[in-house]
Amino acid sequence: MERAVPLAVPLGQTEVFQALQRLHMTIFSQSVSPCGKFLAAGNNYGQIAIFSLSSALSSEAKEEILHFSLAHDGPVYSMVSTDRHLLSAGDGEVKAWLWAEMLKKGCKELWRRQPPYRTSLEVPEINALLLVPKENSLILAGGDCQLHTMDLETGTFTRVLRGHTDYIHCLALRERSPEVLSGGEDGAVRLWDLRTAKEVQTIEVYKHEECSRPHNGRWIGCLATDSDWMVCGGGPALTLWHLRSSTPTTIFPIRAPQKHVTFYQDLILSAGQGRCVNQWQLSGELKAQVPGSSPGLLSLSLNQQPAAPECKVLTAAGNSCRVDVFTNLGYRAFSLSF
């Protein structure tokens, strides 16, 4: 006689909705708290989750997610942290949150600001935020093809940098000089002098034969700087450039378009289409490819806050509801999840 198989209890509508949300989730942005013990992650639903890195890394491996809340009406494309605030952006405006309050449920934004767009009907996305500590300012860039500078002391917008002909994906700061780099859909990396608010250098990456990959497009999706050096990628090949001479010096042998890149010690870390975090020698040699849990990666974050050396980790996120945590660069230790 066959045994009766118990019928599965159907999930409630809320549980089904949440499961579908997680299935189709994309995490666009991350930012580490000033104390180094917490990580904020922003997704395509406008939610920001707060994870406790210190709890997740403890010997007890306690519950790592504190909470998540709806912060924006659209995707949270970019986040940065000051010594007190978390700044988040995505749907045409930037919002500020006190980190001390973000650790509690029901946190309210401290303020919100919208750049002076060309028309009141225009609400372009903000793809990138960049802090300029020496002048206590924030630079925003995105869908209106312009860079907007905001004074963090007064909350006023002080200048607009115009030159890109299509929307901007990424920003980077040359820390030793008051200069900012921007890359976008027009295929150009533009270097701006913040003292004069003028464009001082343009590198049209796709016009260099060794970098060009017409089948992928001309867009620049990621860039990073280290003194006189820049690395950028996207449609064109991931390439190391000498800025003073505008010369490409190393073409990294990876076919997949890269979405995030950063200098780390004597390495370059990159990620994009595919599961792996790539570790490159400056010479172009691939040192390692470390797989994660997401099918594609959009954001890397290095926690190097001196206040929490025990939480020194690399986190990677993208096309899933998980944030992968690498306690060293050689392997993924575990994942945090919305």
Side-chain angles (χ1 to χ4, degrees):
M1 182 177 177
E2 293 185 0
R3 296 178 60 185
V5 178
L7 294 174
V9 178
L11 290 173
Q13 288 186 346
T14 301
E15 287 83 355
V16 171
F17 177 73
Q18 290 174 345
L20 286 172
Q21 267 201 333
R22 286 193 292 272
L23 184 63
H24 297 286
M25 188 176 293
T26 297
I27 299 174
F28 287 107
S29 55
Q30 304 177 68
S31 187
V32 175
S33 66
C35 68
K37 295 182 179 181
F38 302 95
L39 176 73
N43 68 18
N44 55 320
Y45 301 119
Q47 299 166 335
I48 295 178
I50 305 297
F51 299 100
S52 173
L53 292 174
S54 55
S55 295
L57 292 164
S58 69
S59 57
E60 294 85 6
K62 298 175 183 176
E63 181 68 24
E64 65 274 358
I65 186 166
L66 298 184
H67 60 86
F68 68 87
S69 56
L70 187 64
H72 289 264
D73 293 332
V76 185
Y77 288 122
S78 186
M79 292 192 295
V80 293
S81 289
T82 70
D83 56 356
R84 295 181 60 222
H85 302 113
L86 174 68
L87 307 176
S88 62
D91 50 359
E93 62 184 3
V94 59
K95 295 184 180 182
W97 318 78
L98 277 171
W99 260 110
E101 297 297 318
M102 285 294 286
L103 305 182
K104 308 171 186 175
K105 288 185 179 180
C107 173
K108 301 294 183 183
E109 70 203 49
L110 189 62
W111 50 257
R112 64 172 70 187
R113 297 287 187 276
Q114 186 177 84
Y117 296 124
R118 294 185 181 96
T119 70
S120 59
L121 297 177
E122 185 180 31
V123 188
E125 74 274 13
I126 297 171
N127 294 324
L129 298 176
L130 179 70
L131 290 170
V132 185
K134 288 184 179 179
E135 58 177 41
N136 193 29
S137 67
L138 176 73
I139 297 179
L140 307 79
D144 71 339
C145 316
Q146 302 177 120
L147 286 75
H148 300 269
T149 302
M150 188 182 79
D151 186 318
L152 286 173
E153 185 72 28
T154 63
T156 57
F157 287 91
T158 57
R159 61 179 167 235
V160 180
L161 305 178
R162 298 182 177 92
H164 281 280
T165 58
D166 211 332
Y167 57 87
I168 300 167
H169 287 297
C170 47
L171 299 169
L173 177 68
R174 292 186 77 187
E175 295 184 3
R176 296 181 184 178
S177 58
E179 294 175 339
V180 168
L181 288 92
S182 57
E185 198 71 14
D186 59 6
V189 173
R190 303 180 189 274
L191 182 63
W192 310 85
D193 189 328
L194 295 181
R195 293 164 297 191
T196 62
K198 294 188 180 299
E199 182 179 342
V200 294
Q201 187 177 357
T202 304
I203 300 175
E204 293 179 300
V205 179
Y206 66 97
K207 290 186 177 180
H208 292 255
E209 185 177 354
E210 60 269 53
C211 306
S212 178
R213 298 190 299 189
H215 58 285
N216 285 336
R218 62 174 62 178
W219 55 277
I220 300 298
C222 60
L223 61 86
T225 60
D226 186 0
S227 186
D228 288 332
W229 298 92
M230 172 191 76
V231 60
C232 67
L238 186 69
T239 307
L240 181 66
W241 293 76
H242 184 249
L243 283 173
R244 287 191 182 182
S245 61
S246 297
T247 304
T249 61
T250 304
I251 311 296
F252 297 95
I254 185 167
R255 292 184 178 181
Q258 299 298 280
K259 303 293 184 68
H260 197 116
V261 67
T262 187
F263 287 93
Y264 177 65
Q265 296 178 355
D266 58 348
L267 297 173
I268 288 173
L269 308 180
S270 75
Q273 290 183 8
R275 296 181 177 275
C276 292
V277 176
N278 308 295
Q279 302 174 26
W280 304 97
Q281 305 281 6
L282 298 182
S283 62
E285 179 186 350
L286 181 62
K287 181 179 179 182
Q289 284 187 309
V290 185
S293 64
S294 298
L297 295 173
L298 300 172
S299 171
L300 300 176
S301 177
L302 282 162
N303 183 3
Q304 302 186 81
Q305 292 288 357
E310 72 281 5
C311 296
K312 185 177 179 180
V313 294
L314 168 70
T315 52
N319 301 119
S320 80
C321 63
R322 295 177 294 278
V323 178
D324 292 331
V325 179
F326 302 80
T327 50
N328 67 46
L329 293 184
Y331 69 96
R332 176 177 66 90
F334 57 89
S335 297
L336 307 169
S337 183
F338 265 83

